[in-house]
Amino acid sequence: MKDSELRAAYHELFRERPAGREACPSPERIVALIERTTLEEERLATLDHVMGCPACKPDFDLMRTIAEGRPAPRRRTAMPLAAAAAVLLLVSGVLLFSVLRARTPGAAGVRGETNGVELISPRGDAHDRPITFTWRKAAGQARYALEVFTPAGGAVYSKEVNDTSVVLPSTVSLQAGTTYHWGVLVRMSDGSAVRTPPIAFTP
C-alpha cells in the first residue's frame, strides 16, 4: 500500500468520528505516533493518551494493523548469510564462555592461562562414533572435568577424570545437526582451577 493510500485509509476511519472527543489526538497525531515522525516527548504524550483511552485505542490498533500491511523497506546493505552465521556462532560462543566462567568463581578460563591445556577434538562436524573428547595435558598435576553444553549454556553431560579423554556414553543422546559446545575445567594440585574456552561441534 502506498503512503498516499495509507493516509487516505487513516482519514476514512476518522471521517465520521463521533462528537465529544475534542481532547483526543487528531488523526495526524496518531499517524505520527505509528510512523514515529514526531519528537519523542510528543510521541510519549500521545501514546499515554491512546493507551488509556477506550475510544482511541481501537482506532490506534486498527491503524497500526493497516500500517503493518505495508512491505518492509529493503535495506541498503545486507549481511551475507555466511557472515551472519559466523557472527551468530561467535556471539553464542562468547555467551557460553561467560556462563562457564560464572560456574567457577575465580577461574580464569582465558587462553594462555590454562596451564597448557588445549582442546583437540571434536571440532566442527563430529561424525565419528562414539564421540571422544580429547585435550592436551596440563603442565603439572591436574584433574579434569569435561563439560558439554547447549548453545544456551544448558548442561548436557559432565565427567571428572584424571585422563585427557572421555568417551561420550551411549546413554547421552545428542541431536544430529544441532551445535553443542564443550570445554574442560582444569583443577590444579595447588587448588586453583581454570577453564578452557569452549569450542563448538555438531554431531
mmCIF file of all heavy atoms in Angstrom, residues 49-96:
data_model
loop_
_atom_site.group_PDB
_atom_site.id
_atom_site.type_symbol
_atom_site.label_atom_id
_atom_site.label_comp_id
_atom_site.label_asym_id
_atom_site.label_seq_id
_atom_site.Cartn_x
_atom_site.Cartn_y
_atom_site.Cartn_z
ATOM 1 N N HIS A 49 -2.000 8.866 26.108
ATOM 2 C CA HIS A 49 -3.444 9.091 25.970
ATOM 3 C C HIS A 49 -4.111 7.900 25.279
ATOM 4 O O HIS A 49 -5.138 7.395 25.736
ATOM 5 C CB HIS A 49 -3.713 10.369 25.161
ATOM 6 C CG HIS A 49 -5.161 10.556 24.824
ATOM 7 N ND1 HIS A 49 -6.039 11.267 25.620
ATOM 8 C CD2 HIS A 49 -5.911 10.079 23.784
ATOM 9 C CE1 HIS A 49 -7.244 11.228 25.083
ATOM 10 N NE2 HIS A 49 -7.190 10.524 23.958
ATOM 11 N N VAL A 50 -3.500 7.455 24.173
ATOM 12 C CA VAL A 50 -4.114 6.388 23.374
ATOM 13 C C VAL A 50 -4.269 5.113 24.188
ATOM 14 O O VAL A 50 -5.314 4.447 24.143
ATOM 15 C CB VAL A 50 -3.272 6.133 22.108
ATOM 16 C CG1 VAL A 50 -3.713 4.839 21.421
ATOM 17 C CG2 VAL A 50 -3.401 7.302 21.141
ATOM 18 N N MET A 51 -3.227 4.762 24.944
ATOM 19 C CA MET A 51 -3.285 3.528 25.705
ATOM 20 C C MET A 51 -4.330 3.561 26.822
ATOM 21 O O MET A 51 -4.830 2.522 27.252
ATOM 22 C CB MET A 51 -1.910 3.221 26.317
ATOM 23 C CG MET A 51 -0.830 2.882 25.304
ATOM 24 S SD MET A 51 -1.173 1.367 24.343
ATOM 25 C CE MET A 51 -1.705 2.070 22.778
ATOM 26 N N GLY A 52 -4.686 4.781 27.274
ATOM 27 C CA GLY A 52 -5.668 4.879 28.344
ATOM 28 C C GLY A 52 -7.037 5.314 27.898
ATOM 29 O O GLY A 52 -7.942 5.481 28.728
ATOM 30 N N CYS A 53 -7.206 5.501 26.598
ATOM 31 C CA CYS A 53 -8.488 5.988 26.081
ATOM 32 C C CYS A 53 -9.248 4.854 25.407
ATOM 33 O O CYS A 53 -8.786 4.309 24.396
ATOM 34 C CB CYS A 53 -8.253 7.129 25.088
ATOM 35 S SG CYS A 53 -9.773 7.766 24.346
ATOM 36 N N PRO A 54 -10.412 4.474 25.912
ATOM 37 C CA PRO A 54 -11.169 3.371 25.309
ATOM 38 C C PRO A 54 -11.676 3.680 23.913
ATOM 39 O O PRO A 54 -12.022 2.762 23.164
ATOM 40 C CB PRO A 54 -12.329 3.168 26.290
ATOM 41 C CG PRO A 54 -12.458 4.468 27.016
ATOM 42 C CD PRO A 54 -11.084 5.027 27.107
ATOM 43 N N ALA A 55 -11.714 4.973 23.550
ATOM 44 C CA ALA A 55 -12.162 5.328 22.205
ATOM 45 C C ALA A 55 -11.004 5.331 21.210
ATOM 46 O O ALA A 55 -11.152 4.920 20.055
ATOM 47 C CB ALA A 55 -12.840 6.707 22.227
ATOM 48 N N CYS A 56 -9.827 5.805 21.653
ATOM 49 C CA CYS A 56 -8.677 5.916 20.753
ATOM 50 C C CYS A 56 -7.947 4.595 20.548
ATOM 51 O O CYS A 56 -7.381 4.352 19.483
ATOM 52 C CB CYS A 56 -7.687 6.961 21.278
ATOM 53 S SG CYS A 56 -8.254 8.658 21.124
ATOM 54 N N LYS A 57 -7.938 3.747 21.586
ATOM 55 C CA LYS A 57 -7.159 2.507 21.499
ATOM 56 C C LYS A 57 -7.597 1.621 20.330
ATOM 57 O O LYS A 57 -6.746 1.136 19.578
ATOM 58 C CB LYS A 57 -7.273 1.739 22.813
ATOM 59 C CG LYS A 57 -6.451 0.446 22.868
ATOM 60 C CD LYS A 57 -4.965 0.719 22.711
ATOM 61 C CE LYS A 57 -4.135 -0.483 23.152
ATOM 62 N NZ LYS A 57 -4.442 -1.690 22.398
ATOM 63 N N PRO A 58 -8.909 1.394 20.103
ATOM 64 C CA PRO A 58 -9.293 0.567 18.948
ATOM 65 C C PRO A 58 -8.895 1.206 17.621
ATOM 66 O O PRO A 58 -8.486 0.499 16.693
ATOM 67 C CB PRO A 58 -10.820 0.460 19.084
ATOM 68 C CG PRO A 58 -11.083 0.707 20.530
ATOM 69 C CD PRO A 58 -10.062 1.715 20.951
ATOM 70 N N ASP A 59 -9.001 2.547 17.526
ATOM 71 C CA ASP A 59 -8.593 3.224 16.297
ATOM 72 C C ASP A 59 -7.105 3.056 16.063
ATOM 73 O O ASP A 59 -6.656 2.782 14.943
ATOM 74 C CB ASP A 59 -8.931 4.721 16.384
ATOM 75 C CG ASP A 59 -10.429 4.979 16.395
ATOM 76 O OD1 ASP A 59 -11.182 4.086 15.947
ATOM 77 O OD2 ASP A 59 -10.843 6.058 16.856
ATOM 78 N N PHE A 60 -6.335 3.204 17.135
ATOM 79 C CA PHE A 60 -4.881 3.046 17.035
ATOM 80 C C PHE A 60 -4.513 1.641 16.581
ATOM 81 O O PHE A 60 -3.674 1.460 15.697
ATOM 82 C CB PHE A 60 -4.253 3.351 18.394
ATOM 83 C CG PHE A 60 -2.788 3.011 18.476
ATOM 84 C CD1 PHE A 60 -1.832 3.840 17.909
ATOM 85 C CD2 PHE A 60 -2.369 1.853 19.118
ATOM 86 C CE1 PHE A 60 -0.483 3.527 17.996
ATOM 87 C CE2 PHE A 60 -1.031 1.538 19.204
ATOM 88 C CZ PHE A 60 -0.090 2.369 18.638
ATOM 89 N N ASP A 61 -5.150 0.630 17.178
ATOM 90 C CA ASP A 61 -4.846 -0.756 16.815
ATOM 91 C C ASP A 61 -5.171 -1.032 15.356
ATOM 92 O O ASP A 61 -4.406 -1.704 14.648
ATOM 93 C CB ASP A 61 -5.632 -1.718 17.713
ATOM 94 C CG ASP A 61 -5.135 -1.708 19.150
ATOM 95 O OD1 ASP A 61 -3.980 -1.296 19.361
ATOM 96 O OD2 ASP A 61 -5.903 -2.096 20.050
ATOM 97 N N LEU A 62 -6.305 -0.493 14.894
ATOM 98 C CA LEU A 62 -6.701 -0.721 13.504
ATOM 99 C C LEU A 62 -5.757 -0.015 12.547
ATOM 100 O O LEU A 62 -5.335 -0.582 11.531
ATOM 101 C CB LEU A 62 -8.135 -0.238 13.290
ATOM 102 C CG LEU A 62 -8.731 -0.464 11.893
ATOM 103 C CD1 LEU A 62 -8.656 -1.946 11.519
ATOM 104 C CD2 LEU A 62 -10.166 0.022 11.850
ATOM 105 N N MET A 63 -5.378 1.225 12.883
ATOM 106 C CA MET A 63 -4.461 1.971 12.022
ATOM 107 C C MET A 63 -3.088 1.308 11.972
ATOM 108 O O MET A 63 -2.439 1.263 10.931
ATOM 109 C CB MET A 63 -4.352 3.404 12.536
ATOM 110 C CG MET A 63 -5.639 4.210 12.373
ATOM 111 S SD MET A 63 -5.601 5.745 13.318
ATOM 112 C CE MET A 63 -4.341 6.634 12.419
ATOM 113 N N ARG A 64 -2.649 0.787 13.117
ATOM 114 C CA ARG A 64 -1.349 0.107 13.145
ATOM 115 C C ARG A 64 -1.389 -1.160 12.300
ATOM 116 O O ARG A 64 -0.417 -1.505 11.630
ATOM 117 C CB ARG A 64 -0.954 -0.220 14.583
ATOM 118 C CG ARG A 64 0.444 -0.817 14.703
ATOM 119 C CD ARG A 64 0.876 -0.931 16.149
ATOM 120 N NE ARG A 64 -0.055 -1.765 16.913
ATOM 121 C CZ ARG A 64 0.113 -2.051 18.198
ATOM 122 N NH1 ARG A 64 1.137 -1.540 18.857
ATOM 123 N NH2 ARG A 64 -0.751 -2.815 18.829
ATOM 124 N N THR A 65 -2.515 -1.866 12.343
ATOM 125 C CA THR A 65 -2.662 -3.068 11.514
ATOM 126 C C THR A 65 -2.565 -2.724 10.043
ATOM 127 O O THR A 65 -1.921 -3.434 9.260
ATOM 128 C CB THR A 65 -4.016 -3.739 11.797
ATOM 129 O OG1 THR A 65 -4.071 -4.125 13.167
ATOM 130 C CG2 THR A 65 -4.193 -4.971 10.923
ATOM 131 N N ILE A 66 -3.198 -1.618 9.644
ATOM 132 C CA ILE A 66 -3.115 -1.181 8.252
ATOM 133 C C ILE A 66 -1.671 -0.854 7.894
ATOM 134 O O ILE A 66 -1.161 -1.236 6.842
ATOM 135 C CB ILE A 66 -4.019 0.047 8.015
ATOM 136 C CG1 ILE A 66 -5.485 -0.332 8.205
ATOM 137 C CG2 ILE A 66 -3.800 0.618 6.619
ATOM 138 C CD1 ILE A 66 -6.431 0.846 8.137
ATOM 139 N N ALA A 67 -0.990 -0.142 8.810
ATOM 140 C CA ALA A 67 0.400 0.251 8.548
ATOM 141 C C ALA A 67 1.308 -0.955 8.414
ATOM 142 O O ALA A 67 2.202 -0.984 7.573
ATOM 143 C CB ALA A 67 0.897 1.165 9.671
ATOM 144 N N GLU A 68 1.082 -1.964 9.234
ATOM 145 C CA GLU A 68 1.947 -3.146 9.202
ATOM 146 C C GLU A 68 1.717 -3.988 7.963
ATOM 147 O O GLU A 68 2.492 -4.890 7.676
ATOM 148 C CB GLU A 68 1.730 -3.984 10.459
ATOM 149 C CG GLU A 68 2.260 -3.313 11.714
ATOM 150 C CD GLU A 68 1.916 -4.093 12.972
ATOM 151 O OE1 GLU A 68 1.092 -5.034 12.872
ATOM 152 O OE2 GLU A 68 2.453 -3.756 14.035
ATOM 153 N N GLY A 69 0.668 -3.685 7.221
ATOM 154 C CA GLY A 69 0.416 -4.396 5.978
ATOM 155 C C GLY A 69 1.311 -3.938 4.852
ATOM 156 O O GLY A 69 1.404 -4.580 3.804
ATOM 157 N N ARG A 70 2.033 -2.824 5.055
ATOM 158 C CA ARG A 70 2.944 -2.344 4.030
ATOM 159 C C ARG A 70 4.191 -3.212 3.994
ATOM 160 O O ARG A 70 4.652 -3.670 5.032
ATOM 161 C CB ARG A 70 3.355 -0.895 4.315
ATOM 162 C CG ARG A 70 2.223 0.099 4.163
ATOM 163 C CD ARG A 70 2.718 1.502 4.403
ATOM 164 N NE ARG A 70 3.211 1.673 5.759
ATOM 165 C CZ ARG A 70 3.803 2.782 6.185
ATOM 166 N NH1 ARG A 70 3.999 3.780 5.365
ATOM 167 N NH2 ARG A 70 4.211 2.876 7.442
ATOM 168 N N PRO A 71 4.773 -3.425 2.818
ATOM 169 C CA PRO A 71 6.020 -4.194 2.750
ATOM 170 C C PRO A 71 7.141 -3.443 3.436
ATOM 171 O O PRO A 71 7.225 -2.218 3.377
ATOM 172 C CB PRO A 71 6.274 -4.331 1.236
ATOM 173 C CG PRO A 71 5.539 -3.177 0.627
ATOM 174 C CD PRO A 71 4.314 -2.973 1.491
ATOM 175 N N ALA A 72 7.990 -4.181 4.133
ATOM 176 C CA ALA A 72 9.114 -3.565 4.830
ATOM 177 C C ALA A 72 10.112 -3.022 3.826
ATOM 178 O O ALA A 72 10.376 -3.651 2.797
ATOM 179 C CB ALA A 72 9.801 -4.589 5.723
ATOM 180 N N PRO A 73 10.690 -1.817 4.048
ATOM 181 C CA PRO A 73 11.672 -1.270 3.110
ATOM 182 C C PRO A 73 12.903 -2.140 3.043
ATOM 183 O O PRO A 73 13.345 -2.693 4.048
ATOM 184 C CB PRO A 73 11.991 0.113 3.721
ATOM 185 C CG PRO A 73 11.662 -0.031 5.165
ATOM 186 C CD PRO A 73 10.484 -0.966 5.211
ATOM 187 N N ARG A 74 13.477 -2.273 1.854
ATOM 188 C CA ARG A 74 14.671 -3.100 1.670
ATOM 189 C C ARG A 74 15.883 -2.367 2.209
ATOM 190 O O ARG A 74 16.077 -1.186 1.979
ATOM 191 C CB ARG A 74 14.876 -3.385 0.181
ATOM 192 C CG ARG A 74 16.125 -4.217 -0.118
ATOM 193 C CD ARG A 74 16.177 -4.617 -1.562
ATOM 194 N NE ARG A 74 15.060 -5.486 -1.907
ATOM 195 C CZ ARG A 74 14.859 -5.942 -3.123
ATOM 196 N NH1 ARG A 74 15.682 -5.628 -4.114
ATOM 197 N NH2 ARG A 74 13.817 -6.727 -3.371
ATOM 198 N N ARG A 75 16.704 -3.077 2.939
ATOM 199 C CA ARG A 75 17.900 -2.473 3.498
ATOM 200 C C ARG A 75 18.887 -2.163 2.365
ATOM 201 O O ARG A 75 18.984 -2.897 1.393
ATOM 202 C CB ARG A 75 18.563 -3.414 4.512
ATOM 203 C CG ARG A 75 17.697 -3.692 5.734
ATOM 204 C CD ARG A 75 18.435 -4.612 6.691
ATOM 205 N NE ARG A 75 17.599 -4.924 7.838
ATOM 206 C CZ ARG A 75 17.542 -4.188 8.929
ATOM 207 N NH1 ARG A 75 18.268 -3.091 9.007
ATOM 208 N NH2 ARG A 75 16.766 -4.538 9.942
ATOM 209 N N ARG A 76 19.625 -1.087 2.558
ATOM 210 C CA ARG A 76 20.600 -0.708 1.532
ATOM 211 C C ARG A 76 21.716 -1.750 1.432
ATOM 212 O O ARG A 76 22.223 -2.020 0.357
ATOM 213 C CB ARG A 76 21.206 0.664 1.862
ATOM 214 C CG ARG A 76 20.190 1.795 1.725
ATOM 215 C CD ARG A 76 20.860 3.135 2.037
ATOM 216 N NE ARG A 76 19.908 4.228 1.911
ATOM 217 C CZ ARG A 76 19.662 4.864 0.785
ATOM 218 N NH1 ARG A 76 20.271 4.497 -0.314
ATOM 219 N NH2 ARG A 76 18.792 5.862 0.735
ATOM 220 N N THR A 77 22.108 -2.284 2.578
ATOM 221 C CA THR A 77 23.142 -3.315 2.576
ATOM 222 C C THR A 77 22.664 -4.474 3.412
ATOM 223 O O THR A 77 21.979 -4.290 4.418
ATOM 224 C CB THR A 77 24.461 -2.784 3.163
ATOM 225 O OG1 THR A 77 24.225 -2.313 4.482
ATOM 226 C CG2 THR A 77 25.018 -1.651 2.306
ATOM 227 N N ALA A 78 22.996 -5.656 3.012
ATOM 228 C CA ALA A 78 22.584 -6.851 3.749
ATOM 229 C C ALA A 78 23.810 -7.675 4.084
ATOM 230 O O ALA A 78 24.718 -7.829 3.272
ATOM 231 C CB ALA A 78 21.613 -7.686 2.905
ATOM 232 N N MET A 79 23.847 -8.196 5.290
ATOM 233 C CA MET A 79 24.967 -9.034 5.701
ATOM 234 C C MET A 79 24.866 -10.380 5.003
ATOM 235 O O MET A 79 23.823 -11.010 5.041
ATOM 236 C CB MET A 79 24.948 -9.230 7.219
ATOM 237 C CG MET A 79 26.095 -10.092 7.719
ATOM 238 S SD MET A 79 26.040 -10.349 9.519
ATOM 239 C CE MET A 79 26.383 -8.693 10.087
ATOM 240 N N PRO A 80 25.923 -10.824 4.333
ATOM 241 C CA PRO A 80 25.883 -12.148 3.693
ATOM 242 C C PRO A 80 25.516 -13.216 4.705
ATOM 243 O O PRO A 80 25.839 -13.110 5.885
ATOM 244 C CB PRO A 80 27.320 -12.317 3.180
ATOM 245 C CG PRO A 80 27.848 -10.919 3.045
ATOM 246 C CD PRO A 80 27.191 -10.130 4.149
ATOM 247 N N LEU A 81 24.825 -14.237 4.222
ATOM 248 C CA LEU A 81 24.353 -15.297 5.104
ATOM 249 C C LEU A 81 25.492 -15.948 5.867
ATOM 250 O O LEU A 81 25.389 -16.198 7.064
ATOM 251 C CB LEU A 81 23.603 -16.349 4.275
ATOM 252 C CG LEU A 81 22.979 -17.503 5.062
ATOM 253 C CD1 LEU A 81 21.980 -16.957 6.075
ATOM 254 C CD2 LEU A 81 22.304 -18.480 4.115
ATOM 255 N N ALA A 82 26.595 -16.207 5.192
ATOM 256 C CA ALA A 82 27.723 -16.856 5.861
ATOM 257 C C ALA A 82 28.286 -15.975 6.965
ATOM 258 O O ALA A 82 28.634 -16.448 8.045
ATOM 259 C CB ALA A 82 28.817 -17.187 4.840
ATOM 260 N N ALA A 83 28.380 -14.665 6.687
ATOM 261 C CA ALA A 83 28.898 -13.744 7.704
ATOM 262 C C ALA A 83 27.960 -13.675 8.893
ATOM 263 O O ALA A 83 28.392 -13.635 10.044
ATOM 264 C CB ALA A 83 29.100 -12.356 7.098
ATOM 265 N N ALA A 84 26.657 -13.658 8.615
ATOM 266 C CA ALA A 84 25.677 -13.616 9.705
ATOM 267 C C ALA A 84 25.785 -14.864 10.565
ATOM 268 O O ALA A 84 25.710 -14.795 11.800
ATOM 269 C CB ALA A 84 24.267 -13.491 9.135
ATOM 270 N N ALA A 85 25.970 -16.017 9.928
ATOM 271 C CA ALA A 85 26.101 -17.264 10.682
ATOM 272 C C ALA A 85 27.369 -17.242 11.532
ATOM 273 O O ALA A 85 27.369 -17.710 12.672
ATOM 274 C CB ALA A 85 26.133 -18.455 9.715
ATOM 275 N N ALA A 86 28.449 -16.686 10.986
ATOM 276 C CA ALA A 86 29.689 -16.616 11.744
ATOM 277 C C ALA A 86 29.544 -15.717 12.961
ATOM 278 O O ALA A 86 30.032 -16.034 14.039
ATOM 279 C CB ALA A 86 30.822 -16.094 10.837
ATOM 280 N N VAL A 87 28.859 -14.589 12.776
ATOM 281 C CA VAL A 87 28.633 -13.683 13.904
ATOM 282 C C VAL A 87 27.795 -14.363 14.970
ATOM 283 O O VAL A 87 28.068 -14.263 16.167
ATOM 284 C CB VAL A 87 27.953 -12.388 13.427
ATOM 285 C CG1 VAL A 87 27.497 -11.547 14.623
ATOM 286 C CG2 VAL A 87 28.904 -11.588 12.554
ATOM 287 N N LEU A 88 26.741 -15.091 14.535
ATOM 288 C CA LEU A 88 25.885 -15.785 15.490
ATOM 289 C C LEU A 88 26.674 -16.819 16.278
ATOM 290 O O LEU A 88 26.519 -16.945 17.500
ATOM 291 C CB LEU A 88 24.730 -16.462 14.751
ATOM 292 C CG LEU A 88 23.751 -17.258 15.613
ATOM 293 C CD1 LEU A 88 23.087 -16.330 16.643
ATOM 294 C CD2 LEU A 88 22.700 -17.926 14.752
ATOM 295 N N LEU A 89 27.539 -17.559 15.605
ATOM 296 C CA LEU A 89 28.336 -18.574 16.289
ATOM 297 C C LEU A 89 29.297 -17.935 17.277
ATOM 298 O O LEU A 89 29.490 -18.421 18.396
ATOM 299 C CB LEU A 89 29.117 -19.395 15.261
ATOM 300 C CG LEU A 89 29.964 -20.549 15.808
ATOM 301 C CD1 LEU A 89 29.084 -21.536 16.553
ATOM 302 C CD2 LEU A 89 30.718 -21.230 14.682
ATOM 303 N N LEU A 90 29.898 -16.793 16.868
ATOM 304 C CA LEU A 90 30.821 -16.101 17.753
ATOM 305 C C LEU A 90 30.107 -15.597 18.998
ATOM 306 O O LEU A 90 30.588 -15.768 20.116
ATOM 307 C CB LEU A 90 31.470 -14.931 17.014
ATOM 308 C CG LEU A 90 32.382 -14.014 17.851
ATOM 309 C CD1 LEU A 90 33.549 -14.819 18.407
ATOM 310 C CD2 LEU A 90 32.877 -12.845 17.021
ATOM 311 N N VAL A 91 28.927 -14.996 18.797
ATOM 312 C CA VAL A 91 28.175 -14.465 19.929
ATOM 313 C C VAL A 91 27.768 -15.583 20.875
ATOM 314 O O VAL A 91 27.884 -15.465 22.095
ATOM 315 C CB VAL A 91 26.935 -13.698 19.449
ATOM 316 C CG1 VAL A 91 26.019 -13.343 20.614
ATOM 317 C CG2 VAL A 91 27.361 -12.421 18.726
ATOM 318 N N SER A 92 27.282 -16.708 20.320
ATOM 319 C CA SER A 92 26.866 -17.807 21.182
ATOM 320 C C SER A 92 28.058 -18.375 21.946
ATOM 321 O O SER A 92 27.933 -18.754 23.113
ATOM 322 C CB SER A 92 26.200 -18.915 20.355
ATOM 323 O OG SER A 92 27.130 -19.521 19.473
ATOM 324 N N GLY A 93 29.231 -18.402 21.302
ATOM 325 C CA GLY A 93 30.422 -18.883 21.994
ATOM 326 C C GLY A 93 30.829 -17.964 23.130
ATOM 327 O O GLY A 93 31.201 -18.418 24.212
ATOM 328 N N VAL A 94 30.750 -16.649 22.893
ATOM 329 C CA VAL A 94 31.089 -15.686 23.949
ATOM 330 C C VAL A 94 30.128 -15.807 25.118
ATOM 331 O O VAL A 94 30.528 -15.801 26.287
ATOM 332 C CB VAL A 94 31.074 -14.254 23.384
ATOM 333 C CG1 VAL A 94 31.196 -13.238 24.513
ATOM 334 C CG2 VAL A 94 32.218 -14.067 22.388
ATOM 335 N N LEU A 95 28.815 -15.921 24.813
ATOM 336 C CA LEU A 95 27.826 -16.052 25.871
ATOM 337 C C LEU A 95 28.042 -17.323 26.671
ATOM 338 O O LEU A 95 27.952 -17.330 27.903
ATOM 339 C CB LEU A 95 26.418 -16.047 25.274
ATOM 340 C CG LEU A 95 25.958 -14.716 24.680
ATOM 341 C CD1 LEU A 95 24.597 -14.888 24.035
ATOM 342 C CD2 LEU A 95 25.910 -13.629 25.736
ATOM 343 N N LEU A 96 28.325 -18.417 25.964
ATOM 344 C CA LEU A 96 28.552 -19.687 26.655
ATOM 345 C C LEU A 96 29.794 -19.608 27.523
ATOM 346 O O LEU A 96 29.809 -20.096 28.656
ATOM 347 C CB LEU A 96 28.697 -20.814 25.633
ATOM 348 C CG LEU A 96 28.991 -22.193 26.236
ATOM 349 C CD1 LEU A 96 27.867 -22.625 27.167
ATOM 350 C CD2 LEU A 96 29.199 -23.221 25.138
#
